[in-house]
Amino acid sequence: VQHDPQLVQEFVAQSLEHLGDVEPLVLEMEKLGTSDDEAVNEVFRAVHSIKGAAGFLGLEQTQLLSHALEELLMALRDGDLEFRSELADPLLAGIDALRVMLSRLPGDEGIADPDLIAQIERLRAGGSEDRELSDACREQLGRGQHLVIVPLPGRKRDRTRFLSRVERFGEVIREDHPEARQALVSSPLEPDLLAEALDLELSSIELRESPERLGTRSGAGGRSARSPYFGQIAVELGFLTAAQREEILARTEGTESRRSFGATAVAEGYLTQEQLELIRADQIARLADWAAIQPVATDGDDLGHDSEAGEPEADSGLLGSEKRPDTVRVSVSVLDQLMNLAGELVLGRNQMRQLLDGVDVPGIKSVLQNVDLITAELQENIMSTRMQAIRVLFDRLPRLVRDLSQSLGKQVDLELIGGDVELDRSIIEALADPMTHMLRNALDHGIETPEGRELLGKSPRGKVTVHAYHQRGRVVIDLRDDGRGIDLARVKELAIERGLLSRDAADDLSESDLRGLVFEAGMSTASAVSDVSGRGVGMDVLRTNVESLGGQVELESVVGEGTAIRIHLPLTLAIIPSLIVSVADERFAIPQVNLVEVVSLREGNHELERIRDIEVLRLRGRLLPLVQLSSCLGLPDKRAMDDAYVVVLRSGTHLYGLAVDELQDPEEIVVKPLSSYLADCGWYAGATILGDGRVAMILDAAGIARRAALRFDEVAREEQLRDDPDAAPSANLRSLVLFANAAGEHFALPLRELSRLERAAASQVERVGEREFLQVRGRTIPLIRLEDVLPVGGGPRDEESFFVLIPRAAREAGIVASRIVDTLDSDAQPDGGQISAPGLLGSAVVRDRLTLFLDTDRLLEAAGVETTA
Amino acid sequence: MSQPAVRDERFCTFYLGDARYGIDILTVREINRRAVVTPAHGAADCVRGLMNLRGQIVTVIDPAVRLGGRPHEFSRSTRLVILKTNAELEVSQARGRATSEDLAGLCVDRISDVIEVSEEQIAPPPPDRLGKGDFLISGIAQLDDGVIRILNPTAMVNLGEGD
């Protein structure tokens, strides 16, 4: 039978979700060594619904395994079996196996491990104390009775009265304990009739077995939603009489292989193949309708029994439906498409704005503004649909910790905080491996054995905490253990031993440099290589992974007390700030995370050199390998090197310079993944559509370093050779931004006082009276021209574009500069004697020019800028 | 329209230089005219670059280069034959056909008519020629006004297969 692929997909997605939901419950049961009804019921329902749908979809192996699991869970639920910790392993193994089989769909489901099934069945049989009971049940069924589980009232008097009422309509087969909350009843009545007879909600009673092995399904709120059964449909379509249906049912009952109703009906000549197909088609349509109302196709099969756990609030059949109200499952590709269209809308808006520029249509401005607002909001909203709570990732961790601590012989408590923190789903996916690495490291290297811990006076149970939280617009994931910590002295020795460092170089390292060494390839302080971790690749991989996501890793450790690893991540990968550069009139985007700084070679302050055949840039005493983007990509060199710009990029721990022709404005770009045609070409990290609708490639900083075969080692060696210990930097050294105003006078601002540097076009400036304003990232800030505040020269205000320096200050404003001269380290101290004014610290000679040092806060105050609340 | 015994197939035809080619119309998503293609340096020669199709990125493949000829020169008459992706084919009536997982388009010199050809009119490609790009042609349609080479869309957009 050809099943609707969408239906299969839906089934897989929901089943996987259910399995993910119930796994922690099994872990919890194992931890507590006992099971509570609620949890067992929930696990049961998940497995049961998978079994039902698998049967419907003809997934025999999946059905076989889920059936075995279901039986085991049923035995637990009904008290035939007491929960023991040994049961956790096969349950978890079963969940894993189901997961594997499901994830192979829509392909071949594979084979359910017969050993696992046998093990599960043994465990179940071992526990079920009374075979007699099932014999009794069988006998009842033989007499055409329905077996039903009914809830019992809590109070003893009520119970006695209730039971006597039950006896009028059937027979109580078992009432487990004196406090039992339910009883197994055999009755000639259909469950819905019995419910009515006993004055119970239909949803609170449960059909255990019936002679037909199918029948009514307990529905939501007592309204019986009939699931689409094959036999029933056959009758409704007039292919079978009710009597024929009974006959066929009787035949399917006997067969060992539980042949399906449809197959039996055809084999026995009740139905033709065509009729079978018609019924199936009808069944699929009904099931789809039905699944739309009740999101999980729990049964809807012509085999398998039809029971539903009797919790009224969970009776819709959707596991935990009450937890996720008002949600719709939407495929990611639809969201991506929406995102694309929103981007297109922005382009359309821009084009419209350009066309309407200068056209005077009354009222058009406010309409455009409105379109602007709506577009921005639309994009934001669509972005938010890509966000997912980090809980998805956290949910996998308890299992991992359990398995690891078992195999390592350690006792570990895991604490998870901040599961609600949301991140882009692509980041969450990409974090799975790094998180696993981190946990492995913590358990393997960090946490000591219980005996070891006791000797140290610690609790024998180690503790690992994973904490996610927001910080300054980024997400931080903090993983700490209370284990042995990392001995930095030992790290240093190891690095020397393994030839990663010379002893002299190692002695010069600061503590934070030493911590950085932990992330180098080939470092591991575990004394023995275990099968869990310790080949010295984990931390290295961790750092690479996190950096490729635009994040950073930090490490803190105190010997004997523990280690904390902190990952800082951007909220999303889909929209990233980046700098647009151009070479030979083609534009490329460079993600800001890779960008360290930008240098103009035109100013002549930076020296280009060659070390043998390697081109290098000397930047503040550092040597950086330099490569031209044009030569990488085989483009014509439009400019001489000394007329180019160099963007300094970070690839891992290395820095290098990439020479480009022109710098353009920074843009927030939407990252589009590379097609397979470009995936392995190595230069690009993705593509994007720029504001004018054209496609630009996003450069891959690490890929360029790799493909251009930059020889970082050689350059670093050269740098070391040249290092002159006498030229120790002065203590007052600080980074300055030098810039010029329209009159060409030089000004300086410490780099750390600068919040951002923007480039703006004159056309973007809005005037209100005498004052000028600029929109920067959705905020309107006043612009300050130095000549208006300070006794300095002014110039023509007709530049097409200029720079805006936005200081890190309580007053938000932009200082206009016509040219950025340089950024450099200088120990020059301003002297207030020569030139003084409010807003000036004084003057000093920097790079042979008299330079005025700004006092930003005073300057903004003098310019009349108010502090922002 | 179609005779019951012989299956007719419809092809979108276009010119590469002076030669006329056809491609199964069920694999074609749309024909695009004003394409601005951003070159993708460093990719295979036949990958001419990327273009923006209403927010989706299309990889532009040069069929002339695939067939062993000179690269296409973009001009006013250049058209892009955008092919459906495998996922789109899967949900259309064109099941069983394959193109690429990614959105790809072919740059052609000039677009021509959509023609309907019966199966009988299509001859297998001549086996004796073994020039580069022969595996890309699945058949030759003999028409009154000339010959149309039928392109194999799967081979056309799956690089590194057969070559």
Side-chain angles (χ1 to χ4, degrees):
Chain A
V1 188
Q2 179 75 276
H3 286 292
D4 180 2
Q6 221 175 336
L7 205 63
V8 175
Q9 222 169 34
E10 187 90 341
F11 162 64
V12 171
Q14 292 202 330
S15 303
L16 288 176
E17 196 173 294
H18 287 175
L19 291 175
D21 284 349
V22 300
E23 189 185 87
L25 298 176
V26 178
L27 291 174
E28 186 70 19
M29 289 183 216
E30 183 189 31
K31 201 163 144 194
L32 300 174
T34 171
S35 61
D36 71 276
D37 294 352
E38 190 67 31
V40 173
N41 254 329
E42 199 159 324
V43 182
F44 169 80
R45 283 199 295 266
V47 173
H48 176 68
S49 70
I50 290 172
K51 180 187 131 175
F56 168 65
L57 294 170
L59 303 168
E60 285 176 18
Q61 294 291 322
T62 307
Q63 203 193 0
L64 210 63
L65 177 58
S66 44
H67 177 72
L69 282 170
E70 186 190 30
E71 295 276 300
L72 178 62
L73 287 159
M74 207 144 64
L76 280 173
R77 192 189 58 178
D78 299 346
D80 293 346
L81 191 62
E82 199 67 28
F83 183 86
R84 292 163 288 146
S85 296
E86 301 95 274
L87 289 177
D89 265 325
L91 275 174
L92 290 170
I95 288 174
D96 284 349
L98 278 179
R99 216 178 253 151
V100 169
M101 292 166 78
L102 287 168
S103 55
R104 297 169 67 127
L105 297 176
D108 175 38
E109 55 175 334
I111 300 289
D113 180 5
D115 291 344
L116 178 61
I117 292 179
Q119 189 196 359
I120 294 170
E121 278 172 353
R122 262 199 313 280
L123 283 164
R124 179 182 59 91
S128 88
E129 76 286 39
D130 44 10
R131 293 268 160 134
E132 289 154 50
L133 176 66
S134 43
D135 287 342
C137 292
R138 212 165 287 135
E139 191 212 320
Q140 296 285 347
L141 288 170
R143 284 172 29 214
Q145 302 275 71
H146 299 264
L147 287 180
V148 175
I149 294 168
V150 298
L152 294 178
R155 293 230 312 265
K156 199 163 184 235
R157 244 183 41 193
D158 295 349
R159 183 202 303 261
T160 323
R161 194 181 304 149
F162 182 81
L163 284 175
S164 66
R165 190 163 168 185
V166 170
E167 294 288 354
R168 279 165 43 200
F169 301 105
E171 196 180 333
V172 177
I173 298 188
R174 198 188 59 208
E175 173 199 356
D176 307 40
H177 311 292
E179 321 73 34
R181 298 218 307 254
Q182 50 190 25
L184 183 64
V185 171
S186 105
S187 163
L189 292 182
E190 296 269 348
D192 38 1
L193 287 175
L194 183 65
E196 238 174 87
L198 295 177
D199 201 15
L200 286 171
E201 287 277 321
L202 176 58
S203 56
S204 69
I205 78 169
E206 189 182 334
L207 182 64
R208 179 66 190 278
E209 286 280 291
S210 82
E212 314 173 343
R213 284 212 274 115
L214 45 85
T216 47
R217 175 177 182 285
S218 45
R223 263 218 337 238
S224 160
R226 301 215 171 231
S227 47
Y229 296 111
F230 198 91
Q232 204 172 306
I233 294 169
V235 174
E236 280 175 32
L237 291 177
F239 294 152
L240 294 175
T241 64
Q244 281 174 322
R245 186 182 72 153
E246 300 301 311
E247 281 172 43
I248 299 167
L249 281 170
R251 286 176 201 266
T252 57
E253 184 77 56
T255 50
E256 197 56 43
S257 59
R258 307 189 114 209
R259 206 152 52 148
S260 78
F261 183 94
T264 313
V266 173
E268 306 281 333
Y270 287 96
L271 289 173
T272 66
Q273 192 63 37
E274 287 75 44
Q275 285 173 326
L276 181 75
E277 294 302 324
L278 277 173
I279 298 168
R280 283 227 163 98
D282 195 70
Q283 188 182 24
I284 290 173
R286 288 191 200 203
L287 192 82
D289 284 350
W290 180 72
I293 309 163
Q294 319 200 30
V296 180
T298 46
D299 27 34
D301 177 26
D302 50 340
L303 31 98
H305 38 174
D306 182 28
S307 58
E308 196 66 60
E311 300 300 325
E313 70 272 24
D315 58 10
S316 69
L318 170 62
L319 227 187
S321 60
E322 67 278 12
K323 284 185 230 149
R324 289 184 280 275
D326 296 340
T327 55
V328 176
R329 199 179 285 274
V330 177
S331 95
V332 177
S333 64
V334 173
L335 293 183
D336 286 348
Q337 179 66 7
L338 276 176
M339 190 71 200
N340 282 338
L341 292 173
E344 281 298 292
L345 190 61
V346 174
L347 294 181
R349 177 203 64 186
N350 291 349
Q351 284 161 0
M352 187 162 70
R353 201 192 305 176
Q354 269 171 17
L355 280 176
L356 289 171
D357 204 26
V359 181
D360 198 22
V361 181
I364 193 78
K365 234 188 168 146
S366 68
V367 173
L368 272 181
Q369 249 166 19
N370 203 15
V371 172
D372 273 2
L373 268 176
I374 294 169
T375 316
E377 214 162 293
L378 181 68
Q379 205 167 15
E380 215 169 276
N381 271 298
I382 295 172
M383 274 309 295
S384 73
T385 60
R386 295 176 55 97
M387 305 299 266
Q388 208 171 22
I390 200 165
R391 185 180 313 286
V392 193
L393 194 59
F394 278 12
D395 283 349
R396 303 184 199 170
L397 303 183
R399 174 71 187 278
L400 184 68
V401 167
R402 167 201 181 262
D403 290 356
L404 281 176
S405 44
Q406 258 181 16
S407 74
L408 293 167
K410 295 181 180 177
Q411 295 172 8
V412 182
D413 288 328
L414 175 68
E415 189 181 9
L416 298 168
I417 311 168
D420 290 330
V421 169
E422 287 191 329
L423 272 171
D424 192 289
R425 54 182 302 284
S426 54
I427 295 188
I428 290 190
E429 273 162 26
L431 264 181
D433 283 347
M435 285 292 275
T436 311
H437 272 307
M438 280 162 64
L439 262 184
R440 282 194 176 144
N441 274 329
L443 264 71
D444 196 13
H445 306 326
I447 305 285
E448 310 87 340
T449 58
E451 304 79 48
R453 291 180 66 90
E454 273 181 329
L455 280 178
L456 293 165
K458 293 180 177 178
S459 136
R461 297 190 71 83
K463 181 164 185 165
V464 174
T465 310
V466 185
H467 185 186
Y469 55 96
H470 286 280
Q471 193 180 55
R472 277 185 247 117
R474 309 196 91 194
V475 168
V476 182
I477 300 170
D478 185 301
L479 185 145
R480 52 182 71 227
D481 64 65
D482 65 347
R484 59 171 74 94
I486 294 174
D487 184 352
L488 289 181
R490 173 103 185 87
V491 169
K492 189 156 91 178
E493 289 307 312
L494 252 156
I496 297 165
E497 235 170 73
R498 299 197 179 162
L500 297 172
L501 274 179
S502 71
R503 183 162 293 277
D504 287 350
D507 285 341
D508 287 344
L509 288 180
S510 69
E511 200 169 303
S512 76
D513 290 337
L514 279 174
R515 285 201 290 261
L517 270 180
V518 176
F519 294 106
E520 288 296 326
M523 290 296 295
S524 172
T525 57
S527 32
V529 169
S530 73
D531 68 336
V532 177
S533 56
R535 275 174 253 272
V537 292
M539 296 300 258
D540 169 36
V541 172
L542 170 67
R543 188 180 60 186
T544 318
N545 283 347
V546 171
E547 282 180 354
S548 72
L549 295 173
Q552 288 108 39
V553 193
E554 281 169 16
L555 181 131
E556 254 173 55
S557 186
V558 178
V559 177
E561 288 179 23
T563 305
I565 300 174
R566 206 166 294 133
I567 303 182
H568 297 256
L569 289 165
L571 290 175
T572 176
L573 287 180
I575 293 193
I576 56 168
S578 45
L579 180 71
I580 312 296
V581 301
S582 66
V583 170
D585 294 327
E586 283 178 29
R587 290 173 298 172
F588 299 89
I590 298 176
Q592 197 189 41
V593 288
N594 300 123
L595 194 64
V596 181
E597 65 175 293
V598 178
V599 178
S600 166
L601 295 181
R602 213 173 308 182
E603 308 288 339
N605 303 319
H606 303 281
E607 286 159 69
L608 296 180
E609 284 185 41
R610 271 179 181 281
I611 300 171
R612 288 170 296 278
D613 57 338
I614 311 172
E615 247 181 314
V616 295
L617 168 75
R618 189 147 75 191
L619 183 68
R620 293 190 292 276
R622 279 205 68 173
L623 294 178
L624 305 179
L626 184 64
V627 35
Q628 271 181 292
L629 184 55
S630 53
S631 56
C632 286
L633 300 179
L635 291 166
D637 291 341
K638 206 174 126 206
R639 287 175 185 240
M641 234 354 191
D642 54 12
D643 193 22
Y645 290 92
V646 174
V647 283
V648 178
L649 300 182
R650 181 189 291 117
S651 158
T653 45
H654 301 300
L655 299 185
Y656 69 95
L658 181 71
V660 299
D661 291 350
E662 291 287 348
L663 301 181
Q664 300 192 0
D665 296 335
E667 263 190 55
E668 304 259 315
I669 60 169
V670 178
V671 180
K672 313 258 179 182
L674 284 181
S675 66
S676 56
Y677 302 107
L678 295 170
D680 42 351
C681 100
W683 303 108
Y684 311 118
T688 187
I689 297 172
L690 295 180
D692 60 0
R694 298 192 182 209
V695 177
M697 309 302 296
I698 302 170
L699 296 176
D700 175 358
I704 292 173
R706 203 165 39 239
R707 288 232 26 198
L710 297 179
R711 283 172 281 174
F712 292 108
D713 299 350
E714 273 180 62
V715 175
R717 219 169 299 137
E718 183 73 21
E719 194 178 283
Q720 243 167 12
L721 278 177
R722 293 189 193 182
D723 251 355
D724 184 358
D726 293 334
S730 141
N732 294 322
L733 204 63
R734 56 183 171 166
S735 293
L736 296 176
V737 182
L738 293 187
F739 62 97
N741 64 356
E745 288 157 320
H746 278 198
F747 297 88
L749 198 61
L751 193 59
R752 64 184 150 77
E753 286 183 25
L754 194 66
S755 144
R756 346 178 23 98
L757 178 63
E758 292 269 345
R759 203 168 171 164
S763 59
Q764 288 170 264
V765 177
E766 294 164 43
R767 287 189 175 74
V768 179
E770 290 286 288
R771 306 184 63 176
E772 294 173 306
F773 294 89
L774 185 71
Q775 295 265 358
V776 178
R777 320 227 147 209
R779 302 180 68 103
T780 305
I781 59 167
L783 289 182
I784 293 167
R785 296 194 186 253
L786 291 175
E787 63 265 30
D788 294 344
V789 188
L790 300 175
V792 297
R797 294 187 175 186
D798 55 1
E799 314 103 317
E800 273 180 24
S801 72
F802 52 87
F803 293 91
V804 180
L805 293 96
I806 302 166
R808 217 182 274 281
R811 298 162 207 273
E812 205 172 22
I815 300 169
V816 175
S818 48
R819 192 159 60 89
I820 302 296
V821 178
D822 198 3
T823 59
L824 80 169
D825 287 348
S826 163
D827 57 357
Q829 287 301 312
D831 168 11
Q834 308 269 333
I835 308 163
S836 81
L840 271 190
L841 286 171
S843 60
V845 173
V846 178
R847 192 169 280 157
D848 305 331
R849 291 264 322 237
L850 184 71
T851 302
L852 299 177
F853 282 67
L854 299 180
D855 177 346
T856 44
D857 214 42
R858 298 273 307 278
L859 178 79
L860 301 188
E861 194 185 341
V865 179
E866 288 175 4
T867 50
T868 44
Chain B
M1 265 210 302
S2 59
Q3 289 135 15
V6 186
R7 267 182 52 220
D8 280 1
E9 291 193 61
R10 294 180 354 130
F11 295 93
C12 164
T13 69
F14 49 81
Y15 285 91
L16 300 177
D18 294 327
R20 196 170 172 201
Y21 291 85
I23 196 160
D24 180 353
I25 199 145
L26 290 179
T27 62
V28 176
R29 176 175 168 167
E30 65 181 272
I31 312 280
N32 196 277
R33 33 198 300 156
R34 288 184 335 196
V36 184
V37 177
T38 298
H41 306 281
D45 285 344
C46 64
V47 175
R48 294 300 295 271
L50 305 180
M51 65 168 276
N52 171 13
L53 181 75
R54 295 188 297 283
Q56 284 181 290
I57 291 188
V58 180
T59 306
V60 178
I61 301 207
D62 191 337
V65 174
R66 287 289 282 156
L67 291 161
R70 292 158 53 91
H72 169 81
E73 279 178 34
F74 285 87
S75 73
R76 288 175 59 89
S77 66
T78 294
R79 294 290 178 273
L80 278 142
V81 180
I82 315 274
L83 302 182
K84 289 177 181 161
T85 62
N86 284 343
E88 285 169 323
L89 289 173
E90 185 61 33
V91 296
S92 74
Q93 343 136 336
R95 277 194 183 175
R97 290 171 172 80
T99 51
S100 163
E101 299 301 326
D102 297 300
L103 204 49
L106 305 174
C107 49
V108 304
D109 288 324
R110 189 152 58 85
I111 203 85
S112 184
D113 307 326
V114 172
I115 55 157
E116 203 159 308
V117 183
S118 68
E119 250 176 330
E120 300 174 319
Q121 280 173 285
I122 303 176
D128 50 340
R129 285 176 52 228
L130 277 170
K132 180 176 160 47
D134 271 4
F135 69 101
L136 299 164
I137 295 175
S138 60
I140 309 271
Q142 199 75 47
L143 267 74
D144 298 342
D145 58 343
V147 156
I148 295 179
R149 294 170 178 81
I150 307 293
L151 292 178
N152 169 356
T154 317
M156 208 63 204
V157 293
N158 281 284
L159 313 185
E161 254 174 49
D163 56 346

